[in-house]
Amino acid sequence: MAVKDLIPWRKKRREEEESLLPAARDVRDMFQDFFEDMFRPWALMRMRPFAEFPARFYPDIDVSETNKEYRVTAELPGLTKDDIDVSLQEGVLTIRGEKKEEDREEKGGYVRVERSYGSFARRIPLPSEVNECGIEADFKNGVLSVHLPKTEEAHGTRIEIKGG
Amino acid sequence: MSEETQVVKAERAAPERVREEPAFTPQVDVVETPESMLVLADLPGVAKEGLDVTQKSGMLTIQGRPEPEEVEGLKLDHEEYDVGRFYRRFALGSALDADNIDATLKDGVLRLVIPKTEEFRPRRIEISSG
């Protein structure tokens, strides 16, 4: 630790400066992602309505894809399979659940609370090329993964070039 | 760009220099009961094999590594969380019995029960009738 870190006002200023950079990066990423993802249905999912309320559980979601499938994963530590409800309606995948606070009632006496609890619903609009019949979901070690196979057309077909 | 801004940027570009790789800090709840301290840590994606809880000279260290999953040609479309090592350390203090910690991992949550030492536990005093 540098000596100047021990001077309170000095440290405070440095923290403010540090916070500027990630914000600037976010804006840059936002523009970049906007143009890259413009035609992706989850482009608007970046808006997180409850992000300002850390007391409420709002799971983080990743969406990835291979040639064969889309894959939605969500971090749901502390939930069991029975606490989670995954449904699909009109091309929107909804993940619902509740993170329960089992130890509060039985014990009390919180010293530190960083984890968040409560019910949530996350809606993920799916691209049209998803085969809705083949969707599978599994839950392991607090992570939910939903596998959404792409339709045959989405795999792409190779076009033969005929010789003249 | 001012000189100071550049310094900050350089620090950010190389996080956690002390350790071999960047680590995430798991979110933790700590509950005190009359007999023990209960620590609940969220470690999504970590299986028992990837978890390491150690106690040495009054410091409790939690390290977890999510199960690696390598899928060929997997491309990330939308990212809200990153996967990586979890790391956190706590000082236990003399009121806690560090040698008898009970640890269980279930559905991505580590639950540690750290008993208080005998002298810090409530003791019921027998009243003898005269």
Side-chain angles (χ1 to χ4, degrees), chain A residues 28 125 141 153:
Chain A
R28 199 196 62 205
N141 300 325
E153 302 89 76

Side-chain angles (χ1 to χ4, degrees), chain A residues 50-62:
Chain A
F50 301 116
E52 301 303 315
F53 301 96
R56 180 161 181 168
F57 182 60
Y58 191 76
D60 287 328
I61 283 174
D62 278 359

